Amino acid sequence: ENVYRIGGDEFAVILEQADDGKCRELEEKFEKEQRRPIGEMKVSAAIGSAVYDKEKDPNFDHVFKRADGRMYEQKSRMKQKCETSMLNESRSTHGLL
């Protein structure tokens, strides 16, 4: 489909004729691919999607802002998970459980 770099390390993908189910399916595939190691590296990316709804969305910007908000929600959850993991690893290393 159409992929656009919108700044820095952020990209937008425009899917035509996609519904919430298709978006979730693609997000799950993306998440699965992220779990595959690339050599010694671990790659992660936060994603968010939104589907145009002619009843709610006056324009593209409204859809984009919803998707962007969902991406930042996921980014926050990923950060919390990473911090918790690092804390648990530190406690384990120092015998604190």
Side-chain angles (χ1 to χ4, degrees), residues 29-45:
K29 285 182 179 181
F30 188 82
E31 298 269 338
K32 185 177 179 181
E33 285 298 315
Q34 284 190 89
R35 290 191 291 268
R36 287 182 29 189
I38 302 174
E40 296 290 318
M41 291 190 316
K42 181 178 180 189
V43 177
S44 66

Side-chain angles (χ1 to χ4, degrees), residues 9 11 15 17 28 32 40 46-47 50 52 56-60 64 66 78 81 87 90 92 97:
D9 60 354
F11 295 83
L15 303 172
Q17 306 299 320
E28 288 172 8
K32 185 177 179 181
E40 296 290 318
I47 58 176
Y52 172 74
K56 293 192 297 188
D57 300 313
N59 56 45
F60 169 79
F64 178 82
R66 259 194 352 264
M78 291 169 66
K81 184 177 178 182
L87 179 61
S90 176
S92 176
L97 291 175

